[in-house]
Amino acid sequence: MSAQLRETAGELAAVLWREHAVYRDRSGCVVIRGEHVQRWISLAPAGGRDEILVRAGRILDGGTTAPARSEAVVPLSSGTGELAATCRRLLAEAAAYAAPLAPRPAESGRGRRSGKSSRSGRRRRRMGFSSWVIVACVAGVVALSAYSTSIGG
């Protein structure tokens, strides 16, 4: 089964992407990486004798892989075309999960740091316009109180 998975993965990779890497991971799955599209696909034996579990996910900044966002069980006897169609559907679902959401008006000035983010280590927070206005007002109040103290006493 593992030799058949490897052969199927090689054919599938050639259909899906021009640039790809095919390898076996620690758990015995065959993984196809498309670095240029930041996506991966894995093929593993499923519960049935002639079935494979196809999973798809994203490749994060730095080259690590995000957990699978979508998966499907496909008969191994199905042709490369049907398997490629299933993979394209799973990749589209993974891309839909990766699409950034538009910030709501209440969040527009804040960085979106809830949950785990692959970019949180690299990303710097920037102050929004309203934060600068508040800093300027506080500085003005401090300057005014210092001025009134020096004049009054």
Side-chain angles (χ1 to χ4, degrees):
M1 178 75 154
S2 64
Q4 192 175 8
L5 268 180
R6 177 85 173 166
E7 181 182 325
T8 302
E11 293 172 6
L12 180 62
V15 170
L16 292 175
W17 301 311
R18 275 181 282 144
E19 301 172 28
H20 59 270
V22 179
Y23 62 91
R24 183 173 305 281
D25 72 355
R26 288 181 225 155
S27 64
C29 298
V30 178
V31 179
I32 306 167
R33 283 178 70 106
E35 296 286 340
H36 64 292
V37 291
Q38 296 294 301
R39 301 284 180 264
W40 61 267
I41 297 172
S42 72
L43 307 175
R49 185 168 173 82
D50 185 38
E51 294 179 332
I52 57 173
L53 175 64
V54 181
R55 301 172 73 202
R58 299 182 304 132
I59 298 174
L60 304 174
D61 293 340
T64 60
T65 57
R69 292 293 188 175
S70 53
E71 59 184 39
V73 176
V74 179
L76 189 56
S77 60
S78 63
T80 305
E82 184 179 333
L83 189 56
T86 301
C87 288
R88 286 185 182 111
R89 178 179 56 82
L90 295 176
L91 290 166
E93 289 175 11
Y97 282 114
L101 300 174
R104 288 179 274 171
E107 294 179 348
S108 63
R110 297 186 206 150
R112 296 185 55 174
R113 294 198 167 227
S114 60
K116 292 184 179 179
S117 172
S118 63
R119 307 179 108 186
S120 62
R122 296 182 184 189
R123 199 170 182 174
R124 295 187 321 173
R125 290 188 93 168
R126 295 187 181 146
M127 290 178 47
F129 178 72
S130 59
S131 298
W132 283 110
V133 170
I134 292 171
V135 168
C137 288
V138 168
V141 168
V142 169
L144 184 60
S145 68
Y147 178 74
S148 65
T149 305
S150 67
I151 297 241

